[in-house]
Amino acid sequence: MLRAPPDSLFPLRHIHKPNSLLRTRTTRFCCKASLITNSDSFEVGRLIGSYGFMNITSSSGSPLGEDTEYSSGDLGRLRVQDVGEGSVKIRLYDGRVSQGPLKGTPVVFKVYPGQRAGGNEADMMAANELNAHLFLQNSSNGICQNLAILVGGFETKTGEQWLAFRNHGKSSAADYAKVMSEKVSRNRAAGVWNKFEQEETIKRRRYFVTKLLQGIMRGLAYMHDHDRLHQSLGPASVILNTITERDAAYLVPRLRDLAFSVDIGYSNLEGDPGLLSEGLWRRASTAGAFTPMEKRAFGISDDIYEAGLLLAYLAFVPFCEAGIMDGLSLQRLLESTFQLDLGATREYCLADDRLLDAVKFLDLGDGAGWELLQAMLNPDFRKRPIAQAVLNHRFMTVGIL
């Protein structure tokens, strides 16, 4: 382990209003959460990896034949022509707390580049993520076990923002899906066919995915109940403490990546939108949501739509051979090919033997999975269920029975 970067002598920049960098000011943390802001209290280990973000530079017309950039209910949000890699590149490092009450606690550092490398956008994202976690961790209801826990952070002299999170695992839901699909491919290529073992494997997979979905929706319900949207929900934004299906009883999924989180408290909805939420409120206006109450409902339904796409991803990818289905292909199938008609989607998938295990999973409970997906992906944002209603849906338990 190395000490934290020697030039890391300054606390993380704190934004008074989460979505606006224009009013940024340098201040020390002042909050209920006991965060570590001294870089000397951390040790940095190896580089785990890095990732970036997509920039959508233009949108195609709606497949429903509308001329507007976004169709009603936000259908056009993800149908794009040009998608480029954004300028913000995030690095992840192993580490641990080296002194104080949390000494020895393993952490994962999420490093945002300074303005020179990442521009103002990197600072906005780092500050927004910080503020979202501070708010959620200061709740009188206690800390939600299905959210990543921020331990502390600091800013280096070069302007890099280092956020330290408890290390509850390094594998994401995307990693889990990839490992399982590769396992399906290996078993089929090797001609492994023991009916009993196959049935047991499918049962374990269904149980694991159901537990995973439950944890995701609990985390999202907690955020919505506390006036925060996620706005970046996907398989890579869910961290898992295990990807071993036999350990499903101990699985604790946690939502991370709150850089684009949006405050939907009524006082915030009446003010000027921040730069990170401009696209959300533009889509809300196009869908006919203008009042604070309508905008709040639209924002929540927007997260539910993303959660629906994530449900579809987890219902298909881990049950199929590698390369048969991926997130983008599935999204295009749902949105463009079948225009969110889940009945037609099912009939199409039923005709492909490679997708049968996924179809049978969603068929559980007399088609409960398809029913839930249809509700979460409803073209009319007003008809989508809230997170707690998703949790209470029979599909969220049928895979465990």
Side-chain angles (χ1 to χ4, degrees):
M1 290 272 186
L2 301 174
R3 302 292 291 179
D7 55 347
S8 307
L9 305 177
F10 304 101
L12 189 69
R13 214 172 292 159
H14 180 75
I15 289 182
H16 180 64
K17 189 173 182 181
N19 283 332
S20 176
L21 192 67
L22 300 178
R23 287 177 284 279
T24 300
R25 58 192 174 92
T26 301
T27 183
R28 294 200 171 272
F29 289 115
C30 182
C31 58
K32 297 176 190 174
S34 183
L35 298 185
I36 303 170
T37 60
N38 183 353
S39 62
D40 290 338
S41 297
F42 294 106
E43 291 180 350
V44 181
R46 65 182 180 85
L47 175 70
I48 300 173
S50 62
Y51 61 93
F53 297 88
M54 291 189 300
N55 276 346
I56 298 175
T57 55
S58 70
S59 298
S60 65
S62 166
L64 300 183
E66 300 173 0
D67 294 329
T68 53
E69 181 180 358
Y70 302 102
S71 60
S72 176
D74 195 26
L75 287 184
R77 174 165 63 94
L78 295 169
R79 286 184 286 273
V80 297
Q81 291 175 329
D82 299 317
V83 179
E85 194 171 2
S87 60
V88 179
K89 303 293 191 302
I90 304 298
R91 306 194 312 277
L92 299 175
Y93 291 90
D94 259 333
R96 68 181 180 186
V97 180
S98 59
Q99 55 184 269
L102 296 179
K103 182 178 180 179
T105 300
V107 298
V108 172
F109 291 105
K110 184 175 184 179
V111 185
Y112 285 91
Q115 285 196 21
R116 209 176 279 178
N120 286 344
E121 187 180 11
D123 270 1
M124 278 194 292
M125 291 166 62
N128 197 47
E129 184 156 18
L130 164 70
N131 284 336
H133 279 285
L134 287 182
F135 180 84
L136 292 167
Q137 289 176 204
N138 282 336
S139 169
S140 59
N141 296 330
I143 294 176
C144 176
Q145 74 164 352
N146 295 116
L147 296 179
I149 304 300
L150 181 69
V151 173
F154 50 85
E155 179 184 358
T156 70
K157 284 183 178 179
T158 59
E160 287 189 336
Q161 316 281 358
W162 287 60
L163 299 182
F165 295 91
R166 280 186 182 270
N167 187 347
H168 291 294
K170 299 184 181 70
S171 296
S172 68
D175 297 323
Y176 161 73
K178 181 175 182 290
V179 169
M180 293 306 116
S181 64
E182 290 173 348
K183 186 174 291 187
V184 172
S185 294
R186 286 197 302 271
N187 288 343
R188 291 185 179 172
V192 176
W193 185 255
N194 180 303
K195 188 174 181 180
F196 175 76
E197 288 183 7
Q198 180 79 359
E199 289 176 352
E200 289 302 304
T201 297
I202 291 297
K203 284 181 182 178
R204 283 195 298 269
R205 190 147 305 156
R206 289 173 176 175
Y207 180 70
F208 190 96
V209 170
T210 302
K211 289 271 291 183
L212 175 49
L213 291 170
Q214 287 176 344
I216 290 169
M217 295 313 301
R218 286 194 188 102
L220 196 61
Y222 184 92
M223 290 187 68
H224 291 174
D225 287 346
H226 291 79
D227 296 333
R228 287 296 185 278
L229 302 179
H230 191 287
Q231 285 296 288
S232 189
L233 194 59
S237 62
V238 182
I239 200 71
L240 310 178
N241 61 328
T242 180
I243 60 171
T244 303
E245 291 179 331
R246 293 182 183 276
D247 294 337
Y250 310 103
L251 173 66
V252 182
R254 289 178 171 85
L255 303 187
R256 63 175 181 180
D257 295 336
L258 303 189
F260 295 98
S261 178
V262 177
D263 182 350
I264 53 170
Y266 285 112
S267 59
N268 191 66
L269 291 174
E270 292 172 350
D272 294 331
L275 294 177
L276 293 178
S277 60
E278 278 183 343
L280 170 66
W281 303 132
R282 185 171 60 248
R283 298 195 305 274
S285 296
T286 302
F290 300 104
T291 68
M293 187 175 293
E294 290 169 340
K295 290 168 69 176
R296 176 185 169 84
F298 180 88
I300 289 173
S301 75
D302 199 58
D303 266 2
I304 294 297
Y305 188 92
E306 287 189 340
L309 292 175
L310 180 53
L311 189 160
Y313 176 93
L314 291 171
F316 274 88
V317 178
F319 293 90
C320 301
E321 293 181 61
I324 297 300
M325 189 66 77
D326 57 62
L328 188 56
S329 299
L330 181 58
Q331 190 171 336
R332 286 173 175 162
L333 186 73
L334 292 168
E335 292 182 336
S336 299
T337 305
F338 294 106
Q339 299 183 24
L340 300 182
D341 182 341
L342 273 297
T345 304
R346 181 187 179 277
E347 291 303 312
Y348 170 84
C349 296
L350 196 58
D352 190 335
D353 290 344
R354 301 172 302 174
L355 305 177
L356 279 184
D357 286 333
V359 172
K360 289 177 181 178
F361 178 45
L362 292 170
D363 278 349
L364 292 177
D366 194 22
W370 297 104
E371 177 186 282
L372 180 57
L373 262 182
Q374 185 71 77
M376 296 175 76
L377 301 179
N378 196 306
D380 185 348
F381 78 88
R382 298 169 185 84
K383 296 180 180 179
R384 294 173 199 157
I386 61 172
Q388 190 59 50
V390 173
L391 268 173
N392 294 338
H393 194 276
R394 68 186 190 281
F395 181 69
M396 300 301 283
T397 58
V398 72
I400 292 179
L401 298 177

